Amino acid sequence: MRLYLLPISTRRTLLYCQKLNAPTTERPTWGDWIQSKASRTWAGWEKKERGWQKSVVNYGNYAFRRIPYEEWGLKSVPPLSQRRRVVERNGSEKIEVVYPKSLLAMDKVPGILETLATERQSLHKRRLIWCLVGMPITAPIALIPVIPNLPFFYLVYRAWSHWRALAGGKHVQFLVQQSLLSLTPSPVVDEVYAAQKLPLPSTPQPTTDAIVSRVESFDPSSEERHQHPEGETMLLSQANGKKMTQALDLPQLEVELERAIWQVETAIKKQNAALAQADSGPASAKGASESDTAPKEEGKKSQ
């Protein structure tokens, strides 16, 4: 496999794992078979023009787009099997990490990877437990004829998704702790970032209080840094995200980048809207109070 670190903004980085050609002697696991079967079924439903399957696909794609891109990134990393653990510990297999040298310093890359691997572990564990609790509660819905038990299957999928994110995070954490990474700066990735025109959406304040992967070496124009010293600035647009997938020859990365860019842009817009509302609130309240007191003051003068 090969790992990619692609900064989306000055505070958030997408982790993506490319699965390279597996050895022919390696047999697929039951999890791989189920995932492949589900993908084929979902693709078949997407081709339908109408019906409940098409409605499920539409609502499902809407929900999938809102699953955090960090979770999708960790899910792209395969679980750390015992065989892989032995091979990687012996040093016979190192995992390549591709990143932009212009945005990420080499000595920061292992720390960013470990942060991405561990910062959401407690959240995934907590939500996995809630999904497991909810599955027996929703299971009796299957007794209703005709109607498929969508709540149950949704909880099953989300439980599997949280488990895969946990497993992928543990795999990345293992690679960092065992120094099994081969850091490879990519001129191709740097060229895509260099071609990105500024300014991009920004916010003067962080969009989240959670631990985030910072791009410490990011150095935009002095004017942009002065306007947003502690905030967050986008580093990729949707158009350049597509150019990134083309430059890396990774068509499967396009969906991941599109989702991540959309989510970060949406977070920045919401933060800016909240700040604008907070700034206008006191001013409007002050204006309203002045307008209320003005007639009283005029009345006193007339008397």
Side-chain angles (χ1 to χ4, degrees):
M1 69 181 189
R2 180 183 294 122
L3 298 178
Y4 289 85
L5 279 179
L6 302 175
I8 304 299
S9 72
T10 51
R11 293 178 61 84
R12 310 191 195 199
T13 300
L14 171 67
L15 168 67
Y16 178 75
C17 177
Q18 178 190 14
K19 297 177 179 64
L20 303 178
N21 294 330
T24 56
T25 56
E26 185 175 344
R27 299 179 61 183
T29 63
W30 65 270
D32 295 332
W33 183 86
I34 293 176
Q35 186 177 358
S36 177
K37 175 66 175 178
S39 298
R40 291 195 300 269
T41 302
W42 194 262
W45 288 5
E46 284 183 325
K47 294 178 181 178
K48 294 183 179 295
E49 296 182 358
R50 61 179 63 89
W52 67 267
Q53 294 99 330
K54 187 65 176 180
S55 299
V56 169
V57 167
N58 291 336
Y59 284 113
N61 289 335
Y62 178 84
F64 290 159
R65 199 181 189 198
R66 281 153 179 76
I67 295 176
Y69 71 90
E70 298 96 335
E71 182 176 330
W72 287 104
L74 291 176
K75 283 163 55 178
S76 69
V77 182
L80 183 61
S81 65
Q82 185 65 30
R83 183 197 60 80
R84 181 183 293 272
R85 184 190 296 268
V86 173
V87 170
E88 293 175 349
R89 180 175 294 164
N90 292 334
S92 60
E93 179 183 354
K94 281 206 169 187
I95 304 302
E96 183 182 11
V97 181
V98 179
Y99 68 96
K101 185 179 180 181
S102 60
L103 296 179
L104 300 176
M106 181 176 289
D107 59 340
K108 301 286 185 181
V109 171
I112 293 174
L113 281 170
E114 187 161 13
T115 298
L116 292 173
T118 58
E119 66 180 350
R120 297 172 60 86
Q121 279 185 356
S122 59
L123 181 144
H124 290 305
K125 289 179 182 178
R126 184 169 62 252
R127 294 189 177 177
L128 171 60
I129 292 173
W130 280 112
C131 289
L132 294 177
V133 170
M135 285 161 57
I137 298 175
T138 57
I141 299 178
L143 299 176
I144 302 176
V146 182
I147 301 176
N149 193 351
L150 295 180
F152 174 79
F153 290 115
Y154 176 76
L155 289 177
V156 171
Y157 170 78
R158 294 300 289 134
W160 171 85
S161 181
H162 289 302
W163 174 81
R164 277 299 301 265
L166 281 170
K170 290 179 180 178
H171 193 167
V172 174
Q173 189 177 10
F174 172 80
L175 296 175
V176 174
Q177 293 175 349
Q178 299 296 326
S179 300
L180 295 173
L181 301 173
S182 175
L183 306 183
T184 307
S186 172
V188 173
V189 175
D190 281 322
E191 288 178 5
V192 177
Y193 280 105
Q196 178 63 65
K197 296 181 180 179
L198 294 176
L200 286 171
S202 303
T203 178
Q205 293 185 7
T207 59
T208 176
D209 295 329
I211 301 175
V212 292
S213 53
R214 296 176 180 271
V215 183
E216 299 288 354
S217 58
F218 173 67
D219 187 20
S221 64
S222 58
E223 180 181 359
E224 185 73 13
R225 182 177 288 277
H226 177 72
Q227 292 177 356
H228 308 288
E230 299 296 337
E232 182 174 10
T233 302
M234 293 294 299
L235 297 178
L236 276 179
S237 64
Q238 291 290 358
N240 267 34
K242 293 182 179 179
K243 292 180 180 178
M244 182 73 75
T245 62
Q246 295 171 359
L248 294 173
D249 193 21
L250 277 175
Q252 62 270 31
L253 176 62
E254 183 174 348
V255 175
E256 305 294 335
L257 264 178
E258 187 274 335
R259 183 191 298 115
I261 293 171
W262 177 80
Q263 288 183 4
V264 178
E265 280 183 342
T266 302
I268 287 178
K269 290 177 182 178
K270 287 183 179 179
Q271 179 74 1
N272 286 337
L275 291 174
Q277 184 176 4
D279 291 340
S280 61
S284 60
K286 182 179 179 181
S289 62
E290 289 178 353
S291 62
D292 292 340
T293 57
K296 295 180 182 179
E297 292 177 356
E298 292 179 358
K300 289 181 180 179
K301 291 181 181 179
S302 62
Q303 291 177 356

